[in-house]
Amino acid sequence: IYYPQITDLPKDVNSVYINKQLHDIVKPFLAESNEMSIDYDFTVKNKKLFSVKFSGYQKHEGGQYEILKSFNYDIKNNRRLTLSNILKDETHDKDKVNQIIKDNIEDKDLRDTFPGLSDWMGFYLTNSDLVLYYLRDDFETEFNKIRVPLRNLRQYLSFEVDIQRDETEIFIIEVD
């Protein structure tokens, strides 16, 4: 199990909080006795925000289950991004955003059963997409992933989106 520790952030950004949150994501897996593998990837890392995707698998009762978690942080506004705060105006924009998401789902069955944005779903950002992930029921072993181009959502998002790459100096320590 690997996870990052963040240093060298701007003075007004709480790196202690961020590092505790990153540890808390993997903490439940540290006590597991089943075979598993979890690694992380910075899917976005720039001066305004970063997104970390934790992915791997866990063997359990003769099967293998996908593990997928994420942590998204708006450096500019010093806050963790969640599905409950990524929209500028959740009350007015949620239906429009749900329609944009549905329009980007290729699988008809997944599109027809998409429940709409909800706090129980996970997400991470890439340089060009918002990626939603969730399990439709407790029997699924792999997450459903929906990629939505950020350019289609930009006007509804509560954080600045830079679709172009713009690297920042964040020092990462890998913890095993």
Side-chain angles (χ1 to χ4, degrees):
I1 297 175
Y2 296 98
Y3 65 96
Q5 294 289 280
I6 309 295
T7 62
D8 296 335
L9 290 168
K11 289 186 183 352
D12 61 333
V13 177
N14 188 345
S15 62
V16 173
Y17 165 79
I18 291 170
N19 287 325
K20 180 177 181 337
Q21 295 298 307
L22 291 168
H23 176 262
D24 287 351
I25 288 171
V26 299
K27 187 177 180 179
F29 300 106
L30 296 175
E32 285 287 328
S33 60
N34 294 327
E35 180 184 336
M36 73 171 60
S37 174
I38 301 173
D39 207 348
Y40 68 91
D41 179 36
F42 279 85
T43 55
V44 169
K45 184 174 63 170
N46 61 47
K47 292 176 183 169
K48 295 178 184 135
L49 60 98
F50 68 86
S51 185
V52 182
K53 176 180 78 167
F54 296 87
S55 58
Y57 70 89
Q58 178 177 14
K59 293 197 177 203
H60 184 70
E61 295 181 0
Q64 182 169 297
Y65 301 88
E66 181 179 25
I67 295 172
L68 189 55
K69 302 276 186 183
S70 60
F71 182 82
N72 307 285
Y73 201 82
D74 178 355
I75 296 170
K76 184 176 180 191
N77 295 303
N78 198 16
R79 65 188 176 129
R80 183 174 184 173
L81 293 173
T82 65
L83 284 177
S84 61
N85 72 7
I86 64 168
L87 299 180
K88 286 180 189 171
D89 184 349
E90 186 174 5
T91 308
H92 294 99
D93 295 342
K94 195 168 188 176
D95 289 338
K96 294 173 194 165
V97 169
N98 280 331
Q99 189 57 52
I100 292 169
I101 293 168
K102 275 187 148 183
D103 292 345
N104 281 277
I105 301 173
E106 293 178 13
D107 180 272
K108 183 183 179 335
D109 184 43
L110 188 58
R111 183 174 50 248
D112 292 344
T113 60
F114 177 67
L117 280 179
S118 191
D119 289 341
W120 54 267
M121 293 177 173
F123 79 97
Y124 59 90
L125 302 163
T126 69
N127 285 315
S128 58
D129 297 319
L130 168 79
V131 182
L132 293 168
Y133 61 88
Y134 64 97
L135 298 171
R136 285 188 274 193
D137 59 50
D138 292 339
F139 302 106
E140 287 191 319
T141 58
E142 291 188 16
F143 285 87
N144 296 288
K145 297 170 194 80
I146 303 168
R147 297 182 82 83
V148 185
L150 287 170
R151 68 179 178 278
N152 297 353
L153 298 171
R154 178 181 268 166
Q155 73 186 76
Y156 303 109
L157 297 175
S158 67
F159 57 94
E160 269 186 60
V161 175
D162 240 351
I163 296 176
Q164 304 155 8
R165 292 177 182 233
D166 121 82
E167 295 292 321
T168 189
E169 291 182 29
I170 296 177
F171 183 69
I172 299 154
I173 302 169
E174 191 171 272
V175 180
D176 187 359

PDB file of all heavy atoms in Angstrom, residues 54-81:
ATOM      1  N   PHE A  54      -6.250   6.631  -5.896  1.00  0.00           N
ATOM      2  CA  PHE A  54      -5.721   5.413  -5.296  1.00  0.00           C
ATOM      3  C   PHE A  54      -6.425   4.254  -5.982  1.00  0.00           C
ATOM      4  O   PHE A  54      -7.658   4.216  -6.015  1.00  0.00           O
ATOM      5  CB  PHE A  54      -6.036   5.360  -3.794  1.00  0.00           C
ATOM      6  CG  PHE A  54      -5.389   6.452  -3.013  1.00  0.00           C
ATOM      7  CD1 PHE A  54      -6.008   7.687  -2.874  1.00  0.00           C
ATOM      8  CD2 PHE A  54      -4.165   6.256  -2.404  1.00  0.00           C
ATOM      9  CE1 PHE A  54      -5.418   8.702  -2.144  1.00  0.00           C
ATOM     10  CE2 PHE A  54      -3.566   7.259  -1.663  1.00  0.00           C
ATOM     11  CZ  PHE A  54      -4.190   8.495  -1.539  1.00  0.00           C
ATOM     12  N   SER A  55      -5.662   3.316  -6.502  1.00  0.00           N
ATOM     13  CA  SER A  55      -6.310   2.193  -7.192  1.00  0.00           C
ATOM     14  C   SER A  55      -5.536   0.906  -6.923  1.00  0.00           C
ATOM     15  O   SER A  55      -4.352   0.919  -6.617  1.00  0.00           O
ATOM     16  CB  SER A  55      -6.396   2.458  -8.694  1.00  0.00           C
ATOM     17  OG  SER A  55      -5.117   2.675  -9.234  1.00  0.00           O
ATOM     18  N   GLY A  56      -6.270  -0.178  -7.032  1.00  0.00           N
ATOM     19  CA  GLY A  56      -5.658  -1.474  -6.819  1.00  0.00           C
ATOM     20  C   GLY A  56      -6.716  -2.548  -6.736  1.00  0.00           C
ATOM     21  O   GLY A  56      -7.811  -2.412  -7.295  1.00  0.00           O
ATOM     22  N   TYR A  57      -6.381  -3.619  -6.017  1.00  0.00           N
ATOM     23  CA  TYR A  57      -7.314  -4.737  -5.906  1.00  0.00           C
ATOM     24  C   TYR A  57      -7.183  -5.352  -4.515  1.00  0.00           C
ATOM     25  O   TYR A  57      -6.190  -5.154  -3.805  1.00  0.00           O
ATOM     26  CB  TYR A  57      -7.019  -5.799  -6.968  1.00  0.00           C
ATOM     27  CG  TYR A  57      -5.727  -6.535  -6.713  1.00  0.00           C
ATOM     28  CD1 TYR A  57      -5.694  -7.688  -5.916  1.00  0.00           C
ATOM     29  CD2 TYR A  57      -4.519  -6.070  -7.223  1.00  0.00           C
ATOM     30  CE1 TYR A  57      -4.503  -8.345  -5.652  1.00  0.00           C
ATOM     31  CE2 TYR A  57      -3.331  -6.719  -6.959  1.00  0.00           C
ATOM     32  CZ  TYR A  57      -3.333  -7.858  -6.176  1.00  0.00           C
ATOM     33  OH  TYR A  57      -2.151  -8.503  -5.892  1.00  0.00           O
ATOM     34  N   GLN A  58      -8.192  -6.087  -4.150  1.00  0.00           N
ATOM     35  CA  GLN A  58      -8.178  -6.867  -2.917  1.00  0.00           C
ATOM     36  C   GLN A  58      -8.758  -8.236  -3.227  1.00  0.00           C
ATOM     37  O   GLN A  58      -9.815  -8.329  -3.858  1.00  0.00           O
ATOM     38  CB  GLN A  58      -9.012  -6.186  -1.842  1.00  0.00           C
ATOM     39  CG  GLN A  58      -9.071  -6.979  -0.552  1.00  0.00           C
ATOM     40  CD  GLN A  58      -9.856  -6.252   0.524  1.00  0.00           C
ATOM     41  OE1 GLN A  58     -10.567  -5.306   0.267  1.00  0.00           O
ATOM     42  NE2 GLN A  58      -9.712  -6.713   1.750  1.00  0.00           N
ATOM     43  N   LYS A  59      -8.064  -9.273  -2.804  1.00  0.00           N
ATOM     44  CA  LYS A  59      -8.594 -10.634  -2.976  1.00  0.00           C
ATOM     45  C   LYS A  59      -9.457 -10.945  -1.764  1.00  0.00           C
ATOM     46  O   LYS A  59      -9.087 -10.631  -0.626  1.00  0.00           O
ATOM     47  CB  LYS A  59      -7.467 -11.640  -3.125  1.00  0.00           C
ATOM     48  CG  LYS A  59      -6.715 -11.402  -4.419  1.00  0.00           C
ATOM     49  CD  LYS A  59      -5.875 -12.565  -4.831  1.00  0.00           C
ATOM     50  CE  LYS A  59      -5.259 -12.196  -6.177  1.00  0.00           C
ATOM     51  NZ  LYS A  59      -4.885 -13.319  -6.939  1.00  0.00           N
ATOM     52  N   HIS A  60     -10.611 -11.559  -2.029  1.00  0.00           N
ATOM     53  CA  HIS A  60     -11.546 -11.862  -0.944  1.00  0.00           C
ATOM     54  C   HIS A  60     -12.476 -12.986  -1.375  1.00  0.00           C
ATOM     55  O   HIS A  60     -13.079 -12.917  -2.438  1.00  0.00           O
ATOM     56  CB  HIS A  60     -12.347 -10.600  -0.597  1.00  0.00           C
ATOM     57  CG  HIS A  60     -13.277 -10.770   0.561  1.00  0.00           C
ATOM     58  ND1 HIS A  60     -12.829 -10.926   1.849  1.00  0.00           N
ATOM     59  CD2 HIS A  60     -14.622 -10.800   0.627  1.00  0.00           C
ATOM     60  CE1 HIS A  60     -13.857 -11.040   2.654  1.00  0.00           C
ATOM     61  NE2 HIS A  60     -14.964 -10.978   1.937  1.00  0.00           N
ATOM     62  N   GLU A  61     -12.565 -14.004  -0.558  1.00  0.00           N
ATOM     63  CA  GLU A  61     -13.475 -15.136  -0.789  1.00  0.00           C
ATOM     64  C   GLU A  61     -13.385 -15.686  -2.212  1.00  0.00           C
ATOM     65  O   GLU A  61     -14.387 -15.868  -2.896  1.00  0.00           O
ATOM     66  CB  GLU A  61     -14.908 -14.737  -0.452  1.00  0.00           C
ATOM     67  CG  GLU A  61     -15.111 -14.414   1.015  1.00  0.00           C
ATOM     68  CD  GLU A  61     -16.543 -14.039   1.355  1.00  0.00           C
ATOM     69  OE1 GLU A  61     -17.401 -14.020   0.454  1.00  0.00           O
ATOM     70  OE2 GLU A  61     -16.784 -13.770   2.538  1.00  0.00           O
ATOM     71  N   GLY A  62     -12.178 -15.908  -2.677  1.00  0.00           N
ATOM     72  CA  GLY A  62     -11.972 -16.516  -3.980  1.00  0.00           C
ATOM     73  C   GLY A  62     -12.103 -15.571  -5.155  1.00  0.00           C
ATOM     74  O   GLY A  62     -11.949 -15.969  -6.299  1.00  0.00           O
ATOM     75  N   GLY A  63     -12.390 -14.317  -4.912  1.00  0.00           N
ATOM     76  CA  GLY A  63     -12.522 -13.348  -5.998  1.00  0.00           C
ATOM     77  C   GLY A  63     -11.571 -12.180  -5.805  1.00  0.00           C
ATOM     78  O   GLY A  63     -10.837 -12.095  -4.831  1.00  0.00           O
ATOM     79  N   GLN A  64     -11.616 -11.291  -6.770  1.00  0.00           N
ATOM     80  CA  GLN A  64     -10.784 -10.101  -6.710  1.00  0.00           C
ATOM     81  C   GLN A  64     -11.685  -8.893  -6.897  1.00  0.00           C
ATOM     82  O   GLN A  64     -12.524  -8.865  -7.793  1.00  0.00           O
ATOM     83  CB  GLN A  64      -9.719 -10.151  -7.810  1.00  0.00           C
ATOM     84  CG  GLN A  64      -8.782  -8.968  -7.781  1.00  0.00           C
ATOM     85  CD  GLN A  64      -7.596  -9.173  -8.689  1.00  0.00           C
ATOM     86  OE1 GLN A  64      -6.810 -10.083  -8.473  1.00  0.00           O
ATOM     87  NE2 GLN A  64      -7.468  -8.334  -9.699  1.00  0.00           N
ATOM     88  N   TYR A  65     -11.512  -7.902  -6.030  1.00  0.00           N
ATOM     89  CA  TYR A  65     -12.339  -6.708  -6.055  1.00  0.00           C
ATOM     90  C   TYR A  65     -11.477  -5.483  -6.306  1.00  0.00           C
ATOM     91  O   TYR A  65     -10.397  -5.342  -5.739  1.00  0.00           O
ATOM     92  CB  TYR A  65     -13.065  -6.543  -4.712  1.00  0.00           C
ATOM     93  CG  TYR A  65     -13.926  -7.727  -4.395  1.00  0.00           C
ATOM     94  CD1 TYR A  65     -13.415  -8.832  -3.709  1.00  0.00           C
ATOM     95  CD2 TYR A  65     -15.247  -7.773  -4.823  1.00  0.00           C
ATOM     96  CE1 TYR A  65     -14.199  -9.935  -3.442  1.00  0.00           C
ATOM     97  CE2 TYR A  65     -16.031  -8.878  -4.570  1.00  0.00           C
ATOM     98  CZ  TYR A  65     -15.508  -9.948  -3.869  1.00  0.00           C
ATOM     99  OH  TYR A  65     -16.291 -11.045  -3.619  1.00  0.00           O
ATOM    100  N   GLU A  66     -11.984  -4.598  -7.143  1.00  0.00           N
ATOM    101  CA  GLU A  66     -11.276  -3.366  -7.436  1.00  0.00           C
ATOM    102  C   GLU A  66     -11.373  -2.419  -6.241  1.00  0.00           C
ATOM    103  O   GLU A  66     -12.419  -2.293  -5.608  1.00  0.00           O
ATOM    104  CB  GLU A  66     -11.886  -2.698  -8.676  1.00  0.00           C
ATOM    105  CG  GLU A  66     -11.198  -1.412  -9.064  1.00  0.00           C
ATOM    106  CD  GLU A  66     -11.804  -0.765 -10.305  1.00  0.00           C
ATOM    107  OE1 GLU A  66     -12.996  -0.992 -10.606  1.00  0.00           O
ATOM    108  OE2 GLU A  66     -11.076  -0.014 -10.960  1.00  0.00           O
ATOM    109  N   ILE A  67     -10.259  -1.764  -5.947  1.00  0.00           N
ATOM    110  CA  ILE A  67     -10.230  -0.701  -4.943  1.00  0.00           C
ATOM    111  C   ILE A  67     -10.007   0.600  -5.691  1.00  0.00           C
ATOM    112  O   ILE A  67      -9.113   0.694  -6.540  1.00  0.00           O
ATOM    113  CB  ILE A  67      -9.085  -0.918  -3.924  1.00  0.00           C
ATOM    114  CG1 ILE A  67      -9.337  -2.189  -3.114  1.00  0.00           C
ATOM    115  CG2 ILE A  67      -8.933   0.297  -3.015  1.00  0.00           C
ATOM    116  CD1 ILE A  67      -8.169  -2.590  -2.231  1.00  0.00           C
ATOM    117  N   LEU A  68     -10.828   1.598  -5.401  1.00  0.00           N
ATOM    118  CA  LEU A  68     -10.703   2.906  -6.046  1.00  0.00           C
ATOM    119  C   LEU A  68     -11.138   3.972  -5.057  1.00  0.00           C
ATOM    120  O   LEU A  68     -12.264   3.938  -4.550  1.00  0.00           O
ATOM    121  CB  LEU A  68     -11.558   2.952  -7.320  1.00  0.00           C
ATOM    122  CG  LEU A  68     -11.401   4.157  -8.229  1.00  0.00           C
ATOM    123  CD1 LEU A  68      -9.953   4.365  -8.655  1.00  0.00           C
ATOM    124  CD2 LEU A  68     -12.282   3.993  -9.464  1.00  0.00           C
ATOM    125  N   LYS A  69     -10.237   4.871  -4.739  1.00  0.00           N
ATOM    126  CA  LYS A  69     -10.492   6.004  -3.844  1.00  0.00           C
ATOM    127  C   LYS A  69      -9.812   7.215  -4.461  1.00  0.00           C
ATOM    128  O   LYS A  69      -8.938   7.088  -5.322  1.00  0.00           O
ATOM    129  CB  LYS A  69      -9.903   5.761  -2.448  1.00  0.00           C
ATOM    130  CG  LYS A  69     -10.411   4.533  -1.742  1.00  0.00           C
ATOM    131  CD  LYS A  69     -11.692   4.829  -1.049  1.00  0.00           C
ATOM    132  CE  LYS A  69     -12.152   3.648  -0.219  1.00  0.00           C
ATOM    133  NZ  LYS A  69     -13.416   3.888   0.406  1.00  0.00           N
ATOM    134  N   SER A  70     -10.189   8.406  -3.984  1.00  0.00           N
ATOM    135  CA  SER A  70      -9.543   9.600  -4.516  1.00  0.00           C
ATOM    136  C   SER A  70      -9.537  10.725  -3.493  1.00  0.00           C
ATOM    137  O   SER A  70     -10.285  10.702  -2.510  1.00  0.00           O
ATOM    138  CB  SER A  70     -10.246  10.069  -5.797  1.00  0.00           C
ATOM    139  OG  SER A  70     -11.597  10.382  -5.521  1.00  0.00           O
ATOM    140  N   PHE A  71      -8.683  11.692  -3.740  1.00  0.00           N
ATOM    141  CA  PHE A  71      -8.600  12.906  -2.932  1.00  0.00           C
ATOM    142  C   PHE A  71      -8.368  14.052  -3.890  1.00  0.00           C
ATOM    143  O   PHE A  71      -7.435  14.018  -4.699  1.00  0.00           O
ATOM    144  CB  PHE A  71      -7.446  12.801  -1.923  1.00  0.00           C
ATOM    145  CG  PHE A  71      -7.328  14.003  -1.035  1.00  0.00           C
ATOM    146  CD1 PHE A  71      -8.135  14.137   0.090  1.00  0.00           C
ATOM    147  CD2 PHE A  71      -6.411  15.006  -1.306  1.00  0.00           C
ATOM    148  CE1 PHE A  71      -8.036  15.237   0.920  1.00  0.00           C
ATOM    149  CE2 PHE A  71      -6.292  16.109  -0.477  1.00  0.00           C
ATOM    150  CZ  PHE A  71      -7.116  16.220   0.639  1.00  0.00           C
ATOM    151  N   ASN A  72      -9.226  15.068  -3.817  1.00  0.00           N
ATOM    152  CA  ASN A  72      -9.172  16.209  -4.729  1.00  0.00           C
ATOM    153  C   ASN A  72      -9.071  17.474  -3.889  1.00  0.00           C
ATOM    154  O   ASN A  72      -9.859  17.662  -2.959  1.00  0.00           O
ATOM    155  CB  ASN A  72     -10.440  16.249  -5.579  1.00  0.00           C
ATOM    156  CG  ASN A  72     -10.682  14.929  -6.282  1.00  0.00           C
ATOM    157  OD1 ASN A  72     -10.019  14.615  -7.246  1.00  0.00           O
ATOM    158  ND2 ASN A  72     -11.608  14.131  -5.767  1.00  0.00           N
ATOM    159  N   TYR A  73      -8.107  18.340  -4.218  1.00  0.00           N
ATOM    160  CA  TYR A  73      -7.893  19.531  -3.399  1.00  0.00           C
ATOM    161  C   TYR A  73      -7.720  20.773  -4.264  1.00  0.00           C
ATOM    162  O   TYR A  73      -6.937  20.782  -5.214  1.00  0.00           O
ATOM    163  CB  TYR A  73      -6.657  19.350  -2.500  1.00  0.00           C
ATOM    164  CG  TYR A  73      -6.686  20.272  -1.323  1.00  0.00           C
ATOM    165  CD1 TYR A  73      -7.420  19.953  -0.188  1.00  0.00           C
ATOM    166  CD2 TYR A  73      -5.996  21.476  -1.347  1.00  0.00           C
ATOM    167  CE1 TYR A  73      -7.466  20.801   0.903  1.00  0.00           C
ATOM    168  CE2 TYR A  73      -6.038  22.336  -0.264  1.00  0.00           C
ATOM    169  CZ  TYR A  73      -6.784  21.995   0.857  1.00  0.00           C
ATOM    170  OH  TYR A  73      -6.838  22.844   1.922  1.00  0.00           O
ATOM    171  N   ASP A  74      -8.488  21.792  -3.916  1.00  0.00           N
ATOM    172  CA  ASP A  74      -8.452  23.100  -4.572  1.00  0.00           C
ATOM    173  C   ASP A  74      -7.450  23.949  -3.791  1.00  0.00           C
ATOM    174  O   ASP A  74      -7.781  24.493  -2.736  1.00  0.00           O
ATOM    175  CB  ASP A  74      -9.863  23.691  -4.542  1.00  0.00           C
ATOM    176  CG  ASP A  74      -9.962  25.076  -5.153  1.00  0.00           C
ATOM    177  OD1 ASP A  74      -8.928  25.655  -5.526  1.00  0.00           O
ATOM    178  OD2 ASP A  74     -11.090  25.579  -5.242  1.00  0.00           O
ATOM    179  N   ILE A  75      -6.218  24.047  -4.282  1.00  0.00           N
ATOM    180  CA  ILE A  75      -5.157  24.786  -3.597  1.00  0.00           C
ATOM    181  C   ILE A  75      -5.493  26.277  -3.559  1.00  0.00           C
ATOM    182  O   ILE A  75      -5.317  26.932  -2.543  1.00  0.00           O
ATOM    183  CB  ILE A  75      -3.791  24.566  -4.290  1.00  0.00           C
ATOM    184  CG1 ILE A  75      -3.377  23.096  -4.189  1.00  0.00           C
ATOM    185  CG2 ILE A  75      -2.718  25.465  -3.684  1.00  0.00           C
ATOM    186  CD1 ILE A  75      -2.174  22.726  -5.040  1.00  0.00           C
ATOM    187  N   LYS A  76      -6.001  26.774  -4.658  1.00  0.00           N
ATOM    188  CA  LYS A  76      -6.287  28.206  -4.753  1.00  0.00           C
ATOM    189  C   LYS A  76      -7.270  28.658  -3.671  1.00  0.00           C
ATOM    190  O   LYS A  76      -7.112  29.717  -3.070  1.00  0.00           O
ATOM    191  CB  LYS A  76      -6.840  28.537  -6.138  1.00  0.00           C
ATOM    192  CG  LYS A  76      -7.062  30.008  -6.340  1.00  0.00           C
ATOM    193  CD  LYS A  76      -7.501  30.330  -7.724  1.00  0.00           C
ATOM    194  CE  LYS A  76      -7.707  31.833  -7.830  1.00  0.00           C
ATOM    195  NZ  LYS A  76      -8.367  32.196  -9.048  1.00  0.00           N
ATOM    196  N   ASN A  77      -8.316  27.857  -3.409  1.00  0.00           N
ATOM    197  CA  ASN A  77      -9.321  28.217  -2.415  1.00  0.00           C
ATOM    198  C   ASN A  77      -9.151  27.459  -1.095  1.00  0.00           C
ATOM    199  O   ASN A  77     -10.014  27.546  -0.224  1.00  0.00           O
ATOM    200  CB  ASN A  77     -10.720  27.981  -2.976  1.00  0.00           C
ATOM    201  CG  ASN A  77     -10.997  28.911  -4.141  1.00  0.00           C
ATOM    202  OD1 ASN A  77     -10.912  30.117  -4.016  1.00  0.00           O
ATOM    203  ND2 ASN A  77     -11.290  28.335  -5.300  1.00  0.00           N
ATOM    204  N   ASN A  78      -8.064  26.687  -0.983  1.00  0.00           N
ATOM    205  CA  ASN A  78      -7.716  25.974   0.238  1.00  0.00           C
ATOM    206  C   ASN A  78      -8.874  25.132   0.782  1.00  0.00           C
ATOM    207  O   ASN A  78      -9.317  25.302   1.921  1.00  0.00           O
ATOM    208  CB  ASN A  78      -7.231  26.969   1.298  1.00  0.00           C
ATOM    209  CG  ASN A  78      -6.452  26.286   2.391  1.00  0.00           C
ATOM    210  OD1 ASN A  78      -6.010  25.146   2.243  1.00  0.00           O
ATOM    211  ND2 ASN A  78      -6.290  26.961   3.509  1.00  0.00           N
ATOM    212  N   ARG A  79      -9.353  24.198  -0.038  1.00  0.00           N
ATOM    213  CA  ARG A  79     -10.456  23.336   0.402  1.00  0.00           C
ATOM    214  C   ARG A  79     -10.429  22.013  -0.344  1.00  0.00           C
ATOM    215  O   ARG A  79     -10.003  21.916  -1.495  1.00  0.00           O
ATOM    216  CB  ARG A  79     -11.804  24.007   0.172  1.00  0.00           C
ATOM    217  CG  ARG A  79     -12.091  24.208  -1.312  1.00  0.00           C
ATOM    218  CD  ARG A  79     -13.319  25.040  -1.561  1.00  0.00           C
ATOM    219  NE  ARG A  79     -13.439  25.238  -2.997  1.00  0.00           N
ATOM    220  CZ  ARG A  79     -14.527  24.999  -3.684  1.00  0.00           C
ATOM    221  NH1 ARG A  79     -15.615  24.589  -3.085  1.00  0.00           N
ATOM    222  NH2 ARG A  79     -14.553  25.193  -4.977  1.00  0.00           N
ATOM    223  N   ARG A  80     -10.922  20.991   0.342  1.00  0.00           N
ATOM    224  CA  ARG A  80     -11.079  19.681  -0.280  1.00  0.00           C
ATOM    225  C   ARG A  80     -12.286  19.755  -1.209  1.00  0.00           C
ATOM    226  O   ARG A  80     -13.333  20.306  -0.850  1.00  0.00           O
ATOM    227  CB  ARG A  80     -11.291  18.613   0.786  1.00  0.00           C
ATOM    228  CG  ARG A  80     -11.378  17.231   0.190  1.00  0.00           C
ATOM    229  CD  ARG A  80     -11.439  16.162   1.245  1.00  0.00           C
ATOM    230  NE  ARG A  80     -11.427  14.856   0.603  1.00  0.00           N
ATOM    231  CZ  ARG A  80     -11.329  13.726   1.265  1.00  0.00           C
ATOM    232  NH1 ARG A  80     -11.225  13.728   2.582  1.00  0.00           N
ATOM    233  NH2 ARG A  80     -11.322  12.576   0.619  1.00  0.00           N
ATOM    234  N   LEU A  81     -12.148  19.205  -2.395  1.00  0.00           N
ATOM    235  CA  LEU A  81     -13.262  19.164  -3.335  1.00  0.00           C
ATOM    236  C   LEU A  81     -14.037  17.871  -3.135  1.00  0.00           C
ATOM    237  O   LEU A  81     -13.460  16.783  -3.079  1.00  0.00           O
ATOM    238  CB  LEU A  81     -12.752  19.238  -4.782  1.00  0.00           C
ATOM    239  CG  LEU A  81     -12.115  20.565  -5.186  1.00  0.00           C
ATOM    240  CD1 LEU A  81     -11.509  20.453  -6.575  1.00  0.00           C
ATOM    241  CD2 LEU A  81     -13.133  21.694  -5.141  1.00  0.00           C
TER     242      LEU A  81
END
